[in-house]
Amino acid sequence: ALLHDHQGNIYAGTKRNGLFKLTRRGKLDYAVSHYRHHPDDAYSLSNDNIYALRQDNQGRIWIATYGGGLNLMDGERFINPGNEFGNYPDQQGLKVRHLAQDRQGNLWLGTTDGLMLAQPHAPDHHETRFTLFTPSLGNTSGLLSNDVFLVLCNSAGTLYVTTLGGGLSILKETDPQT
């Protein structure tokens, strides 16, 4: 996974080798920081398999790991399900493939256990709300597979979700006044 943030930094997520951050010092000069999972440090990266990176509308860097769930980069430490994301579904949602952000600033996570909504609006990370959406037996108009590959939010508020074995699902934003 690659990300070029608003400050000109470059992030490279790897499979099995964690996260690299290249901080611009000059035109072609970068300082390189390497972040890895350390089992004895709850505030390290939760897993070294990085599948997606996203900078949200507040400038925060979010990291999708395949095995450690969602991480929020906070300086040199990482907020994740092993520390301050106390409401994160422990057994589900640890294998995150993709991240998207909607118009309200919510994050949508494509996981192997369904589609997860993260509402990171509370000032305390312990209060971040996570909701997991999975297929319902007999519901043919909802999510048809737990195995979510890609999530896209467009400017009109429509959410597109691609799944393995369930095809494409579309979630349209509704007007709260109706």
Side-chain angles (χ1 to χ4, degrees):
L2 288 172
L3 173 70
H4 184 250
D5 75 11
H6 301 311
Q7 291 77 38
N9 302 311
I10 299 171
Y11 297 82
T14 70
K15 188 172 184 182
R16 294 190 295 268
N17 202 17
L19 178 70
F20 290 89
K21 177 183 177 186
L22 287 76
T23 305
R24 183 178 290 243
R25 294 190 298 207
K27 185 172 183 174
L28 294 174
D29 186 25
Y30 290 88
V32 178
S33 301
H34 186 204
Y35 303 97
R36 304 273 325 249
H37 171 65
H38 299 286
D40 56 331
D41 181 2
Y43 285 91
S44 71
L45 193 61
S46 65
N47 191 284
D48 287 331
N49 294 311
I50 312 297
Y51 273 47
L53 299 163
R54 171 149 315 265
Q55 184 171 27
D56 70 12
N57 57 9
Q58 295 181 34
R60 300 176 295 186
I61 304 297
W62 296 91
I63 301 140
T65 71
Y66 196 83
L70 182 66
N71 286 248
L72 169 62
M73 191 169 194
D74 183 20
E76 296 292 310
R77 66 186 197 135
F78 296 86
I79 308 302
N80 59 58
N83 52 52
E84 295 183 31
F85 284 152
N87 294 323
Y88 199 90
D90 288 335
Q91 299 303 313
Q92 300 147 322
L94 291 180
K95 294 179 179 177
V96 183
R97 285 197 183 102
H98 200 259
L99 295 171
Q101 184 177 34
D102 66 21
R103 298 186 305 181
Q104 289 76 36
N106 298 311
L107 293 174
W108 292 90
L109 289 64
T111 80
T112 59
D113 292 312
L115 178 67
M116 188 182 305
L117 169 63
Q119 296 172 292
H121 309 297
D124 182 352
H125 299 301
H126 292 283
E127 296 176 14
T128 299
R129 292 185 359 202
F130 296 92
T131 306
L132 186 65
F133 299 94
T134 58
S136 298
L137 189 60
N139 181 5
T140 58
S141 64
L143 194 62
L144 298 177
S145 171
N146 279 345
D147 206 349
V148 177
F149 269 67
L150 185 71
V151 182
L152 172 71
C153 297
N154 70 12
S155 60
T158 302
L159 187 73
Y160 298 89
V161 181
T162 62
T163 64
L164 178 64
L168 174 68
S169 295
I170 300 171
L171 176 65
K172 293 188 178 192
E173 188 177 273
T174 59
D175 184 356
Q177 305 298 330
T178 59

